Amino acid sequence: MHAWRSSLQVRIGAITMVVAGTVVIIVSLVLFSQIRDQLLSVKRQAAIDQAQSGVLDAQNEVDGIATGDASSVRATLARTVTALQQSGGAAGDFDVVMIYRSGDTEVPGTSRAFIYQALPADLRADVDAGNQSYRYAEIPDDTGEPRASLVIGAPVQGDTASTEQIELYYVFPLTQEAESLALIRSTVVISGLALTMFVVGIGVLVTRLVVDPVRRAAGTAQRLAEGQLEERMIVRGEDDLARLATSFNAMADSLQRQITQLEGLSQLQQRFTSDVSHELRTPLTTVQMAAEVLHEARGDFAPHVARSAELLSAELDRFERLLTDLLEISRYDAGVATLEAESTNLGALVARVAAGMYSLAERHGCELTVDRPEEGVFAEVDARRVERILRNLVGNAIEHGAGRPVEITLAANRTAAAVTVRDHGVGLSSADAQHVFDRFWRADPSRVRSVGGSGLGLSISLEDARLHGGWLQVWGQPGAGAQFRLTLPLTDGGELTSSPLPLRPLVIRSPGSPA
């Protein structure tokens, strides 16, 4: 079944074998039937002609047969049978049976034993009615074994009394015809098998001529997909397959040029982001020092100047976080981010994140709850990155929770640990859920950030989760809140197959229900 599904050549070969075999069988049956009918027809016609000639000879022999004298009748029948058998004929070997019947008494004369008793009853009835007829029947040979034979019977007209009747039967063995048909049958079978295999071979060969270039194209495409952009197909001839190879190579050239251009642009963008982030560090440090001086001396300023100093300090802090996030995302883009995994108690880490977020939750008037196992949940993770993921998720949940409770849940199984962060705020639509991890994406652009994020938090969190070999997923429903789920393998390099916690909450509050 695997070969049937995966190999076009196998399917075409099998279909060709079935079709060719069916055609060969039908043609062979029709041909064999016609040969058999023709062979038997020739045999039957020759036998009938010989039987008719024998009837005329038998009439001359039995004229004046002494009726009532059993010994004379037997002698006459034996003499007539011997004469008829010695006369031969074009129908081949045969046996002769003559039966003299007077009332209920029958006197047979036969050239060979066992034949008289084996004559078909329906044939004898036809002959008794005065008809010449024939039958195919099984007649015993010298050893008593039945063999196919053609039996022809006819009445012999003589000058005997009306109550007496003489019947003549010719028995022609069909041994030679059976041997000929067996030879023809074996020849037809062998020829049919050879013809079928020949047709299948041609089909497989033609299919291979077509499939091999396609397989080479598939292999080349696979290597191109793996990054070997210099791979090309070999062009032979000028047929359709050659044009396919030429078009494939042209497509590969175009893809290589475009991918090279995109790689160059990506590298340029990464280098630009990294260079700008580094270069901004020095002036930002200077401005921050000046802002700190102004912020510490804001009590000596006029109220509007003091407020400006506070705003300057807050925005500079936000600017510093944005630069930090840009540097982090540039590391992921460059593929140089590394994981420093060590055994970490995730329960303690979740508690630490929640404790750091209590003040923010109080400012937004929402309750922050943590549900975690009493025993420790240990996993080989980079604690700094996991803590950053959870801070981003909890901060977003508080900001978008509309003052309703935010629930943090930790659970684990034998291979994985999961943390869910659930809020009951504005929620997410299915379209929003597809873009929530995009860089600088906001569901409502007019909404003002109260936490002061950079817009890269969820993007960095997703990369942190992938670096661990984990999942970061989201569920949302407008008006019913959202839930983020972080799933991590317990061992470094482990593979995830399932999560200990469901992505969709088990209980969903309807919009407008009290917190």
Side-chain angles (χ1 to χ4, degrees):
M1 292 302 297
H2 175 72
W4 175 267
R5 292 192 300 266
S6 61
S7 176
L8 178 63
Q9 194 169 356
V10 170
R11 290 201 300 273
I12 292 180
I15 293 173
T16 303
M17 178 178 291
V18 172
V19 174
T22 303
V23 172
V24 167
I25 289 174
I26 295 174
V27 172
S28 299
L29 291 176
V30 172
L31 180 62
F32 182 78
S33 177
Q34 291 180 347
I35 293 175
R36 181 193 60 192
D37 293 344
Q38 184 65 25
L39 190 62
L40 293 178
S41 175
V42 172
K43 178 76 172 183
R44 184 173 61 250
Q45 188 60 46
I48 290 174
D49 292 341
Q50 186 171 343
Q52 291 176 348
S53 175
V55 169
L56 297 177
D57 295 339
Q59 287 177 352
N60 297 328
E61 293 289 339
V62 300
D63 281 345
I65 189 171
T67 60
D69 188 353
S71 60
S72 177
V73 170
R74 289 191 180 91
T76 303
L77 293 179
R79 183 178 67 252
T80 304
V81 168
T82 302
L84 292 176
Q85 193 168 19
Q86 290 177 352
S87 63
D93 296 337
F94 61 91
D95 289 301
V96 179
V97 177
M98 288 189 70
I99 302 174
Y100 172 83
R101 188 171 61 196
S102 177
D104 295 334
T105 303
E106 289 186 354
V107 180
T110 178
S111 60
R112 190 163 51 86
F114 306 114
I115 297 179
Y116 167 65
Q117 292 83 359
L119 293 176
D122 56 345
L123 176 61
R124 293 204 58 187
D126 284 348
V127 174
D128 183 48
N131 301 319
Q132 178 177 320
S133 183
Y134 69 90
R135 294 289 187 278
Y136 293 103
E138 297 287 334
I139 304 299
D141 57 9
D142 294 333
T143 62
E145 293 293 330
R147 57 180 177 176
S149 303
L150 173 62
V151 183
I152 299 177
V156 178
Q157 304 296 331
D159 58 357
T160 58
S162 58
T163 59
E164 299 170 348
Q165 186 174 352
I166 300 176
E167 300 171 3
L168 175 63
Y169 295 93
Y170 275 79
V171 179
F172 296 91
L174 299 178
T175 304
Q176 184 177 358
E177 287 72 19
E179 292 176 355
S180 299
L181 289 176
L183 178 61
I184 293 172
R185 183 187 298 111
S186 60
T187 303
V188 169
V189 170
I190 294 174
S191 301
L193 290 176
L195 180 60
T196 301
M197 298 309 298
F198 180 71
V199 173
V200 171
I202 292 177
V204 172
L205 178 61
V206 173
T207 306
R208 182 174 182 178
L209 293 176
V210 177
V211 170
D212 279 354
V214 176
R215 288 176 177 171
R216 290 196 295 270
T220 304
Q222 180 67 28
R223 290 189 290 274
L224 284 172
E226 293 173 354
Q228 303 178 26
L229 301 179
E230 296 78 13
E231 285 289 328
R232 296 294 183 271
M233 291 185 63
I234 300 175
V235 181
R236 296 188 180 94
E238 300 178 356
D239 55 7
D240 294 335
L241 295 176
R243 288 193 291 272
L244 172 64
T246 303
S247 301
F248 185 91
N249 292 339
M251 178 191 68
D253 291 337
S254 177
L255 287 175
Q256 184 179 17
R257 288 193 300 270
Q258 294 181 20
I259 291 175
T260 302
Q261 292 175 359
L262 290 175
E263 287 179 348
L265 291 174
S266 178
Q267 293 175 359
L268 180 62
Q269 179 185 12
Q270 295 170 13
R271 189 181 306 112
F272 174 79
T273 302
S274 179
D275 292 346
V276 168
S277 300
H278 280 94
E279 292 299 326
L280 287 178
R281 279 291 184 182
T282 300
L284 177 61
T285 302
T286 303
V287 173
Q288 277 185 318
M289 292 174 61
E292 288 178 0
V293 173
L294 294 175
H295 187 267
E296 291 177 357
R298 66 184 184 280
D300 300 332
F301 300 152
H304 65 282
V305 177
R307 179 57 180 164
S308 298
E310 292 176 354
L311 292 175
L312 177 62
S313 178
E315 291 302 317
L316 283 175
D317 291 340
R318 181 181 176 186
F319 189 33
E320 184 179 14
R321 288 194 294 273
L322 176 60
L323 283 180
T324 302
D325 290 344
L326 284 173
L327 284 173
E328 187 68 20
I329 207 72
S330 66
R331 293 190 188 97
Y332 280 113
D333 291 339
V336 297
T338 58
L339 188 69
E340 298 177 0
E342 59 182 1
S343 182
T344 303
N345 187 346
L346 295 181
L349 190 149
V350 169
R352 186 165 65 248
V353 171
M357 289 291 177
Y358 276 134
S359 59
L360 180 63
E362 289 178 357
R363 290 200 302 269
H364 284 78
C366 74
E367 179 184 359
L368 188 61
T369 62
V370 177
D371 182 8
R372 56 174 181 153
E374 294 182 0
E375 64 276 6
V377 177
F378 290 88
E380 297 178 1
V381 297
D382 189 329
R384 178 181 64 86
R385 296 182 185 276
V386 174
E387 184 173 350
R388 180 168 59 189
I389 295 173
L390 296 179
R391 285 184 179 277
N392 280 324
L393 297 182
V394 175
N396 284 335
I398 294 173
E399 181 179 1
H400 298 89
R404 297 188 177 94
V406 173
E407 302 159 1
I408 306 173
T409 305
L410 170 65
N413 57 23
R414 291 181 298 177
T415 60
V419 180
T420 59
V421 179
R422 172 80 163 101
D423 69 76
H424 303 275
V426 294
L428 291 170
S429 66
S430 58
D432 293 339
Q434 296 178 0
H435 301 284
V436 72
F437 296 108
D438 294 348
R439 300 175 185 181
F440 301 107
W441 181 84
R442 297 169 70 179
D444 184 5
S446 63
R447 183 182 178 89
V448 178
R449 295 183 185 273
S450 59
V451 181
S454 64
L456 295 172
L458 289 179
S459 300
I460 295 175
S461 298
L462 180 62
E463 297 296 339
D464 283 337
R466 289 175 176 172
L467 191 62
H468 283 84
W471 303 332
L472 182 57
Q473 300 161 299
V474 63
W475 168 89
Q477 183 174 313
Q483 176 165 290
F484 286 81
R485 181 181 69 180
L486 172 64
T487 308
L488 301 172
L490 295 181
T491 58
D492 186 19
E495 293 186 1
L496 294 178
T497 57
S498 62
S499 180
L501 293 174
L503 177 61
R504 180 183 175 89
L506 299 178
V507 179
I508 302 175
R509 296 175 182 172
S510 60
S513 61

